[in-house]
Amino acid sequence: MAARREKYDRRQREVVAIAAELFARRGFQATSMDDLSDATGLRSGGLYHYIGSKRALLLAIFSELMDPLLEQASGIETGTPEEQLRELVRVWVAHIEAHLDHMAVFAQERHSIEHEPEWEDVRASRDAFEAILARRLADVGITDRLQHFALLGMVNHTATWLKPGGRLTAQQIADGYCDLILQ
Amino acid sequence: MAARREKYDRRQREVVAIAAELFARRGFQATSMDDLSDATGLRSGGLYHYIGSKRALLLAIFSELMDPLLEQASGIETGTPEEQLRELVRVWVAHIEAHLDHMAVFAQERHSIEHEPEWEDVRASRDAFEAILARRLADVGITDRLQHFALLGMVNHTATWLKPGGRLTAQQIADGYCDLILQ
Amino acid sequence: MAARREKYDRRQREVVAIAAELFARRGFQATSMDDLSDATGLRSGGLYHYIGSKRALLLAIFSELMDPLLEQASGIETGTPEEQLRELVRVWVAHIEAHLDHMAVFAQERHSIEHEPEWEDVRASRDAFEAILARRLADVGITDRLQHFALLGMVNHTATWLKPGGRLTAQQIADGYCDLILQ
Amino acid sequence: MAARREKYDRRQREVVAIAAELFARRGFQATSMDDLSDATGLRSGGLYHYIGSKRALLLAIFSELMDPLLEQASGIETGTPEEQLRELVRVWVAHIEAHLDHMAVFAQERHSIEHEPEWEDVRASRDAFEAILARRLADVGITDRLQHFALLGMVNHTATWLKPGGRLTAQQIADGYCDLILQ
DNA sequence: TATGAATGAGCCTTCATTCAT
DNA sequence: CATGAATGAAGGCTCATTCAT
């Protein structure tokens, strides 16, 4: 039945969201399935009905982070090169603002992502995004890798200090970063 | 006897260095004391002779990272404001280059540092460094928090892509970053 | 309605047969209800409709194995003592040939059967069969327990090497065993 | 230190013996590591110091069963063919008598041994023993597979009824079996 | 100094079973 | 009749740490 399926999917997304929050705060490894059980209200068995494994949960979090960003980023195709770059950074910062927990988990589990074959897809997504960024920078005449890395660093770092509903909007932040890069 | 003490200290520093490397590559939690035992050639009992606990090892890594940086940073007192800022960033990037493993562990265990009372001292060191940075930026007329965070982001991010002995020197990188911030 | 009842019984027997096959191959404990679910096409709820419990399934397999054999064995009443013994062994081997999976499960779960009060009935069936065997052997003058056990051993062991449709028929095998025992 | 090593080995053998007994009585899967912990007096961690894994324990039991038997069996080389066959069966039954628990575990886990690649070595040992048996039978003129299987069946089955210190000695049993096979 | 045996708490996961739908 | 969400107990195993030697 479709209604049942829909309910299942909704519950699954809830679990992933709760997991992202816990992982962000306490760390992936330091968060036990029991913690998750308490936070979701599902007993361990029920939890596994939705997630498969703790590892799969991590993968789900990464997918939720990377997939939509990549899609939005590749959809930007109108305007001058500078407008396209600015739009890309805006979308990017907005996405980070909407996924602060996901970003924290991502940063924290960097070593897993970098070294384990299991995370190939995640690495590929990240590389694809960085390729788009490099192209947009090239389109405005920036081919220096240092500036590419600088932009990457400042934007990603945003997740560690940005408070949603704070003084600065994602758009203002993004524009500020672009101003630095574009003189 | 002093010679014995010296040998003890040397061995201890070796253990911390090896630990930093393992933690950077596999993650702190994912690295077991057994892994460390294999890597150091010391059995568990011997290991505990030098380190006290796994947690203490982490603290030692953070101290090795923060303490000398803070000392160098606070020693910069000559030259124009811009020269002082540039010198600060140079020292900082050079320190990161010399402590890539420590930086990786630091980034990875961010959540512990941020939330647990045990890490108060580490937080204090970091805040002290950022205060120095803020002062140097203010001295050249930059009071916008966004630029402060941008600089912090790009410099810290350096640890993830910098390969020692690569094309760019720490000095070139630091100057590139300063150029962005100072127009 | 009788038709409904009949359908239920047929489905039930199907489930038992599939279970016997899985249990024989992978082991009783190593086979999960999920495996059974996959193999039968019934989901867990539906499965329990037919079987009651995993334990009951095991009991059903044992009953299917022992009950008809016991019935056939006690029906042998004509001919000379030697003819009766030979007929008993023929029936027995033929039954084993027709229930290889059941035999494998039986052998594997020997320890449960031997030690747990729950399996009293199964033990009783087995003892009843062995009593008939002992009587038939006594009728031909064999009272030595060693020969009784030897026959038991060789016949039961047949289940581990006999391939249905192989070179030897059940009758030939049975006669071969009897020849050994009867000189 | 050698004394330490020796103590370790002794303790390890003790654990395997206790495990064999428990597995024989309750079944391999039905015996938990906690049961073993209680029976050995070692807590779970200490247990793993000696065994590696539950699976490895099973393998150790099989090795203790098959390796010495195979060695003894291949050492029989003097006397007439009939004497050699009789000696083989005597050694075999005596070995079974001395390893009733091991035999029970072996019989019970037949399905694992038969189907899983992990048990290749155990299968190879068993096949090697059966090859020796086949050769000894051929030497006395018995090439009929049925008699080979019959002997295998009766001897292996001995483990299920033989009580150490009972009325019959291993030698008497072995001779009884050989009498059946050799007319 | 250093070893390694031993601990014991905790972890992720499985699984037979129930029950509302 | 049948589904599948949910349970909860248990299982095998890991691991930081201690301590007698």
Side-chain angles (χ1 to χ4, degrees), chain D residues 88-115:
Chain D
L88 175 61
V89 178
R90 265 182 225 126
V91 161
W92 186 10
V93 174
H95 195 70
I96 285 174
E97 184 179 32
H99 296 84
L100 293 179
D101 289 336
H102 295 66
M103 282 294 292
V105 179
F106 192 81
Q108 190 188 124
E109 288 300 311
R110 218 184 161 278
H111 53 105
S112 302
I113 297 168
E114 217 61 69
H115 295 292

Side-chain angles (χ1 to χ4, degrees), chain D residues 4 11 42-46 49-50:
Chain D
R4 192 176 260 180
R11 206 93 160 79
L42 280 167
R43 301 302 118 232
S44 60
H49 192 51
Y50 290 102

Side-chain angles (χ1 to χ4, degrees), chain B residues 82-102:
Chain B
E82 180 175 333
E83 280 168 1
Q84 290 195 23
L85 176 62
R86 285 185 176 274
E87 179 61 13
L88 174 62
V89 178
R90 268 184 222 122
V91 160
W92 185 11
V93 174
H95 194 70
I96 285 173
E97 185 179 31
H99 295 83
L100 292 179
D101 289 338
H102 295 66

Side-chain angles (χ1 to χ4, degrees), chain A residues 1-2 5 14 17 22 36 50-51 61 82 84-85 89 117-118 124 127-128 130-131 152 155 167-168 172 175-176 180:
Chain A
M1 208 200 280
R5 175 69 201 224
E14 274 172 30
L22 284 184
L36 246 166
Y50 291 102
I51 60 159
I61 291 171
E82 179 175 334
Q84 289 195 24
L85 176 62
V89 178
E118 193 180 355
D127 292 349
E130 294 190 9
L152 218 41
V155 177
R167 210 169 36 80
L168 292 170
Q172 290 170 323
D175 286 339
L180 288 180

Side-chain angles (χ1 to χ4, degrees), chain C residues 26-102:
Chain C
R26 309 188 199 174
F28 173 68
Q29 305 239 35
T31 304
S32 71
M33 294 304 285
D34 251 38
D35 294 334
L36 242 125
S37 190
D38 289 349
T40 57
L42 280 166
R43 300 302 118 232
S44 55
L47 216 45
Y48 274 83
H49 239 279
Y50 291 104
I51 60 158
S53 78
K54 202 187 179 193
R55 228 41 200 310
L57 206 42
L58 196 53
L59 193 64
I61 292 171
F62 292 155
S63 293
E64 280 191 4
L65 180 64
M66 295 306 301
D67 294 352
L69 175 60
L70 202 51
E71 194 173 6
Q72 284 182 87
S74 35
I76 299 171
E77 286 173 334
T78 59
T80 67
E82 180 174 335
E83 279 166 4
Q84 289 196 23
L85 175 62
R86 286 188 177 272
E87 179 61 14
L88 175 60
V89 178
R90 269 183 221 124
V91 161
W92 186 10
V93 173
H95 195 70
I96 285 173
E97 185 179 31
H99 295 86
L100 293 178
D101 289 337
H102 295 67

Side-chain angles (χ1 to χ4, degrees), chain B residues 53-154:
Chain B
S53 78
K54 201 187 178 192
R55 224 60 202 296
L57 206 42
L58 196 53
L59 192 66
I61 292 171
F62 292 154
S63 292
E64 280 191 3
L65 180 65
M66 296 305 301
D67 294 352
L69 175 60
L70 201 53
E71 194 172 7
Q72 284 181 87
S74 35
I76 300 170
E77 284 172 337
T78 58
T80 67
E82 180 175 333
E83 280 168 1
Q84 290 195 23
L85 176 62
R86 285 185 176 274
E87 179 61 13
L88 174 62
V89 178
R90 268 184 222 122
V91 160
W92 185 11
V93 174
H95 194 70
I96 285 173
E97 185 179 31
H99 295 83
L100 292 179
D101 289 338
H102 295 66
M103 283 293 292
V105 179
F106 191 82
Q108 191 189 121
E109 289 300 310
R110 218 184 164 279
H111 52 106
S112 301
I113 297 167
E114 216 60 70
H115 296 291
E116 287 168 42
E118 193 179 356
W119 302 110
E120 185 55 50
D121 287 354
V122 176
R123 280 195 297 276
S125 292
R126 186 202 50 191
D127 292 348
F129 178 81
E130 294 188 12
I132 294 175
L133 175 63
R135 206 169 319 126
R136 291 287 164 256
L137 284 169
D139 289 347
V140 296
I142 297 174
T143 53
D144 187 352
R145 294 292 284 163
L146 188 60
Q147 297 194 55
H148 173 94
F149 284 132
L151 184 55
L152 216 42
M154 62 183 89

Side-chain angles (χ1 to χ4, degrees), chain B residues 4 43-46 50:
Chain B
R4 181 174 283 180
R43 301 301 118 233
S44 56
Y50 291 104

